[in-house]
Structures are given as structure tokens and as C-alpha cells.
Amino acid sequence: MLKAGAFVYALFVMFIVSMLTLLFLTLTRLYSYEISGMQMQERLDENARSGIQYALGTANGAWQDAQQLHLFDLGKDLVHIQKKKWGFMDVVTAKASHKNRFSIRSALVGYQVPDSLKISLYLANNQAALHLSGETRLIGNAYLPQSGVKRAYIAGTSYFGDRLIYGEQFLSEKQLPIFFDTLGLSLLANSALKQFALPKQHQQSFLDSTLLISAENVVHLKDLSLKGNIVIQSDTLVEIYPSALLEDVIVMAPIIKVRTGSRFSAQLLAKDSLIVEENCFLEYPSLLFVNTLHDGFVQIGSKATIYGDVWFKSNKPSGNLKRSVLIEKDAEVVGRLLVEQGNLQLNGSVKGVVYTTGFILKHPVGTYKNHLLAARIDRLSLWPDYLFVAKVVEHDKPNILKWLY
């Protein structure tokens, strides 16, 4: 009887040990499979990042059709890469795949200017000298007309400063050395999913098709949250209020108005005029653009701050004393301000660079051509590795500005 009991007990112990051994082997296999999967995912993530770096280093234009890339020539690491326009900005996407696993990364591209082109001002050579008055400061290298730069006396105020240019001075050309790539504007409507109702909250991934919200009448953007791959378009006017939460979207209309106290990041693309009222804050990366066939204008209100680019382009020469862009007192542009075939009145400051056909100063005592009074352009205060939001100079170097979703 005792021997039979011992035998049963031994069988029970052997059963428990074998089950524990089987469980241990199973867990080890599952753990090994999980580790292998994690390693593969990390490898795919790295391949996707490598694909984006490859795309950034390629000198061709936008790739609207995805291109296939075999990394390291092994035939196993397959990556599809695509570069496309998002308004005036560029987006690059890479998808790395291996069997049924994949990794997708998408990024907004910024551009770094070569050291030789890090200037504070480029004033087109229109034969008229630049005149400085008051506490105006030009800090950084400048390209100026052949007539150079002079002191001016306006309304009892002379120039206060021991130097006119706090940097080197070079001779400018008649034409600004910049270009505007409008390809992205023509592509927006062709690849968009159209919707006519304005949602209160929506987030559209850049991995999906563009969502186009279109209206014939005035669009009031308030009490809503819109993020990502979204275009808001009106045939007349778009007004943006402080209660609107916008991020990375594009707003298109003949006239765009940003109401007092608004804060967001977006591309604002107008055909006639663009007004940013006082105390607004447009976060990085933002871009404001007016491309007008008539007498359009841009106005940045007092104590407003723009982190990004402000562009004005006219398709006809402006009147000699007509004001095209007004940056009011205490307003600030951090990045780049471009005025092509127009006159800029700069009462505020620019931390970065200004390209302009000409300056204008409308003052109670008169109107002055190519005059600055208490204006500030400071290239040196812009951090060295700053990425501009769009490419306008041939030798701009691309880099990742922001990861997208």
C-alpha cells in the first residue's frame, strides 16, 4: 500500500515538474517572440527615420507619388518615401515595412540658411538711399542700394547710434533674390476630401487625405478646435477669434482677419488683404501670405507677435508712395518678412531678416520713401539653428522642423 502511494506521489510530482517546465519554455518562447517583435519595430522605426533623412538630402522637387527605396541594398528593408507640398510648406513621409509589420513617420520640413546668407536686410537697388532716424537699429549684414545708408531728421528726431549698420554692407540687385513656389496651392483642391459643414472639433492626420472645408459666404472660426491636415476656404472672408484652437491648418480667402487676442499656428493665405489685430500670438510655425492682383495689403497690429514668415507679393508695381505692409509699433515678427513689389512700413521689430522692394514711412508731418523711424531689424537675435518655415532661397538646407501625426 505504501509503495503504491509513493508511486502515485512520484507521478504527481513528475506531472507538476513537467507542467512547470512546459510553462517556462512557453513563456521563454513568447518572451523571445516579443523581444524579436520589439527589435523589429525599433528597426522599422529607424528605417522610417532614415527614409526621411534620405528624402531631405535629395535635391529634387516635391514627390507627389511615393517612391520605393531599398535600404542598405539587402532587399529586406523596404521604405516608401514621399515629399509633398502643404501650402507653402513641405511635408515628408516615410513608411518602412517588413512582412506584416510597418512604421510610418511624417514630418514638417524647415530650412536653414547658409552662413553666407544670414543677413538682416536685403533692400532692392531702386537707386534711393536708405534713411535712418530715431532709435532705429539694423543689426547684421545688409544688402543696400548703391546710394547706401544715411542719417535722417524727421519731426525733430535725428538718428541715435554710433553706427548706421551694425554689420557689413553689400550692394544689392534690382530684383530680390527670392522665389515663391506656388505649386502647393494648386495641389490642395485636387487631393482634398470636400466638406461644407464646419465641425466643432476635428483632427485630420497628415497620413490621410486633406480635409477641405469650403464655404461661399463669410466663415467665422470660433468656439472650435481644428488640427492637422485641414484647409478652411471661403470665397469672401474668414474671421478668426480667440476661442478658435488651430494647429497646422491652412486658411484661404480673399480677406482674412485675426481678431484681438487670438493665439494659434496656421498658414493664412489671402488674395487681397490680411489683418492681424493687436495682442495676437501666431505660434511657430506660422506663415502669412498675400498674393494680390490689385491693391492688397498686410497689417500686423500693435503688440502682436508672429513666429514664422510674413510675405506680401503684388503682381503689379505698387505706387511710389503706397503702403503695402504695415508692422505697427511694438509688433514683432520672429523669422522672415518679405515684401515683393510693395512698400513696407516698419514701426515694430523683426528678429530675423527683411527682404523688401522698398520702405515707406507715413508720418503726420509727411510721407517719406525708404525711411525708417524707431524700427529694429536684428538678425543676430535669431538663434543660429533657426529653421525658416518655407524655402525661398536656392541654397536653403532642409531639416526636420516638426514631427506630424
Side-chain angles (χ1 to χ4, degrees):
M1 185 70 179
L2 182 60
K3 291 182 178 180
F7 179 72
V8 172
Y9 178 75
L11 288 176
F12 176 75
V13 171
M14 290 177 62
F15 175 76
I16 294 298
V17 171
S18 63
M19 292 302 296
L20 290 174
T21 302
L22 179 62
L23 178 61
F24 175 76
L25 292 174
T26 302
L27 290 176
T28 301
R29 184 176 179 85
L30 289 175
Y31 181 73
S32 176
Y33 179 79
E34 185 67 22
I35 292 296
S36 177
M38 292 175 60
Q39 291 175 340
M40 176 55 68
Q41 194 61 47
E42 290 177 358
R43 176 175 168 178
L44 291 174
D45 292 342
E46 181 62 30
N47 286 349
R49 288 190 290 268
S50 297
I52 286 181
Q53 292 298 331
Y54 176 87
L56 293 178
T58 305
N60 67 306
W63 297 347
Q64 294 307 126
D65 298 320
Q67 297 198 6
Q68 186 171 289
L69 173 68
H70 289 279
L71 292 180
F72 316 121
D73 295 327
L74 296 178
K76 296 181 180 179
D77 297 311
L78 187 63
V79 179
H80 289 81
I81 53 178
Q82 183 180 28
K83 290 164 65 177
K84 64 179 182 180
K85 302 297 293 186
W86 175 237
F88 283 101
M89 300 183 186
D90 294 318
V91 173
V92 59
T93 301
K95 179 181 180 180
S97 59
H98 180 82
K99 295 183 179 179
N100 62 337
R101 290 181 177 271
F102 64 89
S103 174
I104 302 179
R105 301 301 301 267
S106 187
L108 198 62
V109 180
Y111 292 90
Q112 187 173 6
V113 175
D115 290 340
S116 61
L117 297 177
K118 289 183 177 179
I119 61 174
S120 64
L121 172 63
Y122 196 107
L123 175 60
N125 194 347
N126 51 21
Q127 305 302 320
L130 176 63
H131 296 80
L132 308 182
S133 183
E135 296 182 354
T136 295
R137 288 293 180 271
L138 297 181
I139 303 174
N141 298 337
Y143 282 80
L144 301 174
Q146 190 170 6
S147 302
V149 57
K150 301 178 181 179
R151 298 172 183 266
Y153 188 84
I154 301 175
T157 303
S158 60
Y159 177 74
F160 301 104
D162 55 351
R163 301 171 61 183
L164 292 173
I165 304 292
Y166 290 82
E168 296 186 49
Q169 182 177 331
F170 304 94
L171 181 64
S172 63
E173 301 289 340
K174 292 184 178 181
Q175 300 295 325
L176 299 178
I178 57 176
F179 65 92
F180 296 93
D181 186 358
T182 59
L183 173 64
L185 302 184
S186 61
L187 294 172
L188 285 176
N190 297 332
S191 59
L193 298 173
K194 294 186 178 181
Q195 177 175 319
F196 299 97
L198 190 63
K200 287 296 183 181
Q201 184 172 357
H202 190 79
Q203 179 172 313
Q204 186 80 355
S205 172
F206 280 90
L207 303 178
D208 299 326
S209 298
T210 299
L211 176 63
L212 173 62
I213 302 170
S214 181
E216 295 180 355
N217 301 320
V218 177
V219 173
H220 299 282
L221 296 179
K222 56 183 176 181
D223 300 321
L224 50 74
S225 176
L226 300 175
K227 298 182 180 181
N229 191 11
I230 302 173
V231 177
I232 302 105
Q233 183 180 44
S234 169
D235 293 340
T236 54
L237 165 69
V238 174
E239 291 187 299
I240 305 173
Y241 293 83
S243 59
L245 302 178
L246 307 177
E247 182 179 346
D248 298 328
V249 303
I250 293 177
V251 178
M252 301 176 65
I255 303 173
I256 299 175
K257 293 182 180 180
V258 182
R259 293 303 187 182
T260 300
S262 296
R263 184 184 182 116
F264 58 87
S265 69
Q267 293 184 66
L268 307 182
L269 313 179
K271 295 181 179 179
D272 184 279
S273 57
L274 200 160
I275 300 172
V276 178
E277 296 181 345
E278 60 271 14
N279 294 307
C280 291
F281 192 96
L282 270 68
E283 300 171 343
Y284 182 81
S286 290
L287 187 147
L288 285 61
F289 177 64
V290 170
N291 184 12
T292 179
L293 297 172
H294 308 290
D295 295 324
F297 65 92
V298 176
Q299 181 175 342
I300 309 297
S302 175
K303 297 182 180 179
T305 301
I306 313 296
Y307 272 84
D309 281 14
V310 178
W311 300 357
F312 173 89
K313 177 179 173 60
S314 175
N315 290 286
K316 67 173 184 178
S318 63
N320 192 41
L321 298 179
K322 179 174 176 56
R323 182 170 60 196
S324 308
V325 178
L326 171 61
I327 310 296
E328 294 188 358
K329 183 180 179 181
D330 297 324
E332 183 178 58
V333 176
V334 181
R336 184 166 47 195
L337 175 56
L338 299 92
V339 181
E340 184 176 6
Q341 293 202 122
N343 292 318
L344 165 64
Q345 177 161 341
L346 180 61
N347 296 338
S349 64
V350 176
K351 288 183 179 180
V353 57
V354 173
Y355 289 85
T356 183
T357 306
F359 288 102
I360 196 74
L361 175 62
K362 290 185 177 291
H363 193 275
V365 300
T367 299
Y368 303 87
K369 179 70 175 177
N370 271 2
H371 279 64
L372 291 173
L373 173 64
R376 186 179 183 89
I377 305 174
D378 186 354
R379 181 62 176 87
L380 300 185
S381 66
L382 195 65
W383 48 99
D385 296 329
Y386 179 86
L387 294 177
F388 292 99
V389 299
K391 182 175 182 178
V392 297
V393 179
E394 181 180 357
H395 299 291
D396 286 353
K397 182 180 179 181
N399 209 334
I400 296 173
L401 185 153
K402 176 183 180 179
W403 291 106
L404 302 172
Y405 44 85

